[in-house]
Amino acid sequence: MSQSGKNGLTYSDAGVDIDAGNLMVEKIKPAVRSTRRPGADGEIGGFGGLFDLKAAGFTDPVLVAANDGVGTKLKIAIDADFHDTVGIDLVAMCVNDLVVQGAEPLFFLDYFATGKLDPDQGAAIVNGIAAGCLESGCALIGGETAEMPGMYSDGDYDLAGFAVGAAERGKLLPAGDIAEGDLILGLSSSGVHSNGFSLVRKIVSLSGLGWDAPAPFAEGKKLGEALLTPTRIYVKPLLKAIRETGALKALAHITGGGFPENIPRVLPKHLAAEIDLNSIEVPAVFSWLAKTGGVAANEMLRTFNCGVGMIVVVSAENAKTVTDALTAQGETVFPLGRMVTREEGAHGTIYKGTLGL
C-alpha cells in the first residue's frame, strides 16, 4: 500500500500565503515612499535597502545603531484590535536611543512576524512605522514580513525594529565635561510609552476592566486606546537644541528600568543624579496603575517613566537657553535635579522628595 499520502501539496496548504504577502507590500508602498529623505530614495522590494551618507550631508560621520521591540504592549493592541500606533512605538524606542548619543536617525528597518498574515492589519502596523519614521526624519528603507504558522497563534504577531543614525566625529554624547552642580532637566512623556506592560496587563486584569471600558484616568477614551498612546519621539526637538545651543552634555532615554537603570548609563562613575521627585507632575495613568495594583513608589520608579520620558544634563548657566530651545519645539521641560558627588559604593541615582502618585 502506498505511503505517499496526498500529492500536490502547496505552501498555502502549509499555512503560508505568498499572495497575501505580495498584497501587503503593495498596500504599504505609499507609506514607505512618504519617508524618503536625502540619502534614501530607493523603492522597497530589493534584497537590501541602500543609504548614501554623503547625500545626507555628513563629512566624517560615526554610525550609531539601535534595535528594540514594543514588548507586551502588543498584547493590548491585539486584544483591543487596534494596530495603528504600535509602529510609532517601535520607531520611537529605537530612534530615541540614537538621539541620546547625539546622532541623527537616518534609516529604519522593521521585522513583522505573525501566524497568519492579514494584509490590512499588516498595512496598519507599517503605516504606524512610517508615521514614526516621518516624525523622526528617518527613511524606512526595508523590512521583513514573516508568516509563521505554528510559531504564533492566530491573531498574534511580534515586531522588532532596527535604526541607524550618524553624528559627526567628536560630536557624540555624553560629553566628557559633566560636573558636580550641573542641572538635570526632565522632558514630559506621553504616558506609559513601551515599558512595564506585563505589569500593566496584570493590573488591568486585577481591575476587572475590559479594554473597551472607559479609561478611569483619561476622559472620553477607552482603556485599551488610552494605554496604547504611542511613545513620544524626542528626536527633532533634541537635535535642534543640540545644534543650536551646543550646550547639552548628556541625555538619557527613560525606558525599562526607569530612573535608576537608565540615568547612570550616561554619567561618570564619580557622579550621581539627585532627582527631586516633587518636581514631577505624574500623569493620571501612573497614579491609577499604582493605586489599582498597590505598586510602591520605588517599584513604579524602576518600572515606568512616571511622566519623564527623557532627561537632559546641562550646566547651570545654560539651563535656561536649553529649556527655551526645547520649549519652542513643543516639549514640556522642567527642572528635575542636579549632579552630586557619588559616595563610595552608592547608586548613580538618588531621590529626594516624594513621587506625587
Side-chain angles (χ1 to χ4, degrees), residues 70 73-74 77 82-92 124-129 131-132 157 159 194 224-231 233:
V70 185
K73 189 174 190 174
L74 290 181
F82 186 76
H83 311 281
D84 302 46
T85 57
V86 286
I88 299 174
D89 287 295
L90 182 68
V91 176
I125 291 163
V126 177
N127 284 340
I129 293 171
Y157 62 86
L159 287 177
S194 293
E225 176 199 2
L227 288 170
L228 286 168
T229 301
T231 306
I233 293 174

Side-chain angles (χ1 to χ4, degrees), residues 4 26 33 36 79 122 167 171 191 211 215 222 236 280 308 326 329 331:
S4 62
E26 286 312 307
R33 212 173 282 131
R36 285 177 173 174
D79 294 345
K171 299 279 189 189
W211 300 118
K222 293 177 176 173
K236 287 183 177 175
I280 303 171
V308 186
L326 288 167
Q329 292 301 306
E331 294 301 328

Side-chain angles (χ1 to χ4, degrees), residues 184 254-264 272-280 296-306 308 311 336-338 340-341 346-357:
I184 302 165
I254 307 302
T255 55
F259 291 157
E261 297 301 323
N262 290 293
I263 299 176
E274 182 186 80
I275 302 295
D276 178 8
L277 298 177
N278 295 325
S279 66
I280 303 171
N298 264 10
E299 188 64 19
M300 292 295 292
L301 286 163
R302 56 177 286 207
T303 308
F304 301 114
N305 67 62
C306 294
V308 186
I311 68 120
L336 184 64
R338 63 194 181 104
V340 296
T341 300
H347 199 277
T349 310
I350 51 182
Y351 303 126
K352 62 177 212 184
T354 27
L355 192 63
L357 291 167

